[in-house]
């Protein structure tokens, strides 16, 4: 089946990379998994082979319906629609892990959306991403690659690049390199669902060369942090600003 550019489709074909994804995700019979963009179901079948409790798959391309519906497993729950508009809170049982090769063009907004469900039990993500996106997510403070999503993940857990992946591992062959990124959510579970938290981070990075005192005018910023730039702050320092801001702002 021809991959559609508008859906950002690049199908993973390398069995070694599939094996690495499955081994790294550490799936057990206690896990309920979410896969976004299952495509032809190659990774889907491997996940089901791990005897997981259930597997939710969200797919936009209706052409794949016959192939995915041919997978004979009661644990597979197929959902059809746009991953950015899908009502994830409706999933039952709710997934504790995401394992997916996601369309690269929706990487940042999709991860932001999924992080909102940390307080519902989502604790782990293993995703194939574009290499540049992966590098931004794991970027350390005081680096140019640091950006709001990376700060957010740092504040609730940690992210690491597990492995870089060659374009030759996909069909059609993409023009970019890829990377497998692991995200573990271990703390501050309610933070990611806060609109105030998201708004603060995005405003803080609005003008990267300006200090936080300029980007966050009117916010209650601790004096020792106001003269720093957004990219310079650690996740704990961002949480400190958020805690101060909660006393003077209400979430919209």
């Amino acid at each position: 089946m021809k991959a559609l550019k508008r859906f950002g489709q690049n199908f993973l074909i390398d069995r070694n990379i599939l094996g690495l994804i499955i081994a790294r995700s550490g799936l057990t019979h206690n896990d309920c998994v979410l896969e976004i963009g299952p495509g032809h179901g190659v990774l889907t079948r491997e996940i089901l082979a791990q005897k997981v409790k259930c597997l939710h798959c969200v797919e936009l391309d209706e052409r794949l319906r016959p192939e995915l519906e041919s997978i004979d497993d009661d644990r597979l729950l197929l959902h059809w629609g746009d991953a950015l508009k899908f009502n994830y809170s409706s999933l039952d049982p709710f997934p504790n892990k995401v394992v997916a090769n996601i369309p690269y063009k929706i990487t940042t907004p999709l991860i932001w959306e999924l992080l909102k469900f940390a307080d519902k039990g989502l604790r782990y993500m293993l995703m194939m991403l574009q290499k540049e996106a992966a590098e931004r997510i794991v970027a350390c403070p005081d680096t140019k690659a640091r950006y709001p999503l990376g700060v957010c993940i740092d504040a609730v857990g940690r992210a690491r690049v597990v492995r870089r992946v060659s374009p030759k591992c996909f069909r059609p062959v993409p023009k970019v390199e890829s990377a497998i990124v692991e995200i573990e959510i271990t703390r501050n579970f309610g933070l990611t669902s806060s609109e105030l938290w998201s708004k603060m981070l995005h405003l803080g990075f609005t003008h990267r060369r300006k200090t936080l005192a300029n980007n966050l005018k009117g916010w209650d910023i601790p004096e020792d942090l106001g003269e720093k730039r957004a990219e310079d702050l650690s996740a704990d320092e961002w949480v400190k600003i958020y805690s101060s801001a909660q006393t003077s702002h209400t979430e919209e």
Side-chain angles (χ1 to χ4, degrees):
M1 187 188 76
K2 183 179 179 181
L4 296 180
K5 186 176 181 180
R6 70 176 185 272
F7 290 159
Q9 290 174 329
N10 295 97
F11 302 116
L12 181 63
I13 61 169
D14 190 299
R15 304 297 302 186
N16 292 324
I17 298 299
L18 276 172
L20 172 63
I21 291 171
I22 293 300
R24 186 75 187 196
S25 59
L27 299 175
T28 73
H29 67 280
N30 292 318
D31 290 323
C32 184
V33 184
L34 170 62
E35 182 187 9
I36 293 165
H40 294 292
V42 177
L43 179 58
T44 308
R45 291 176 172 85
E46 293 296 327
I47 293 173
L48 291 170
Q50 306 310 303
K51 307 302 181 185
V52 295
K53 184 187 299 182
C54 73
L55 172 59
H56 295 285
C57 289
V58 178
E59 176 58 59
L60 177 61
D61 192 350
E62 289 278 353
R63 299 177 303 159
L64 295 163
R65 185 182 286 271
E67 193 165 6
L68 292 174
E69 289 183 345
S70 71
I71 300 176
D72 186 17
D73 196 310
D74 292 339
R75 296 169 299 154
L76 175 60
L77 303 169
L78 297 173
H79 310 275
W80 300 92
D82 188 332
L84 291 181
K85 299 177 181 177
F86 187 76
N87 180 17
Y88 293 100
S89 62
S90 68
L91 296 178
D92 185 24
F94 197 81
N96 63 304
K97 290 185 176 182
V98 175
V99 180
N101 172 28
I102 65 174
Y104 293 170
K105 65 180 182 179
I106 65 171
T107 294
T108 296
L110 179 60
I111 296 178
W112 270 112
E113 181 64 22
L114 293 175
L115 285 172
K116 294 178 183 178
F117 299 100
D119 57 355
K120 283 203 68 172
L122 183 60
R123 295 289 184 268
Y124 180 87
M125 303 185 206
L126 190 69
M127 295 179 163
M128 184 80 72
L129 307 178
Q130 186 173 334
K131 179 174 72 70
E132 286 75 12
E135 290 171 346
R136 289 198 302 271
I137 285 174
V138 302
C140 297
D142 200 23
T143 61
K144 296 297 183 182
R146 188 78 158 169
Y147 83 134
L149 180 58
V151 173
C152 184
I153 293 171
D154 204 7
V156 298
R158 59 182 178 177
R160 62 172 65 85
V161 174
V162 174
R163 176 172 170 168
R164 293 185 178 182
V165 181
S166 167
K168 296 179 181 179
C169 297
F170 302 87
R171 291 293 181 273
V173 177
K175 297 179 180 179
V176 298
E177 290 188 47
S178 302
I180 300 170
V181 173
E182 181 179 63
I183 299 172
E184 295 178 282
I185 304 171
T186 59
R187 58 188 179 131
N188 297 326
F189 301 124
L191 190 63
T192 53
S193 60
S194 167
E195 292 183 16
L196 179 62
W197 167 252
S198 176
K199 179 180 179 180
M200 178 194 71
L201 287 178
H202 285 90
L203 284 175
F205 279 85
T206 301
H207 303 287
R208 297 186 69 101
R209 293 187 178 183
K210 291 186 176 182
T211 65
L212 287 177
N214 284 308
N215 284 338
L216 294 175
K217 286 183 179 179
W219 291 61
D220 185 13
I221 305 174
E223 189 174 339
D224 59 323
L225 301 179
E227 295 307 309
K228 292 186 176 183
R229 294 176 180 176
E231 65 194 42
D232 299 330
L233 269 65
S234 69
D236 288 340
E237 288 173 324
W238 278 109
V239 172
K240 183 178 179 180
I241 295 174
Y242 172 72
S243 297
S244 297
Q246 280 185 302
T247 63
S248 56
H249 285 73
T250 57
E251 296 187 24
E252 298 178 0

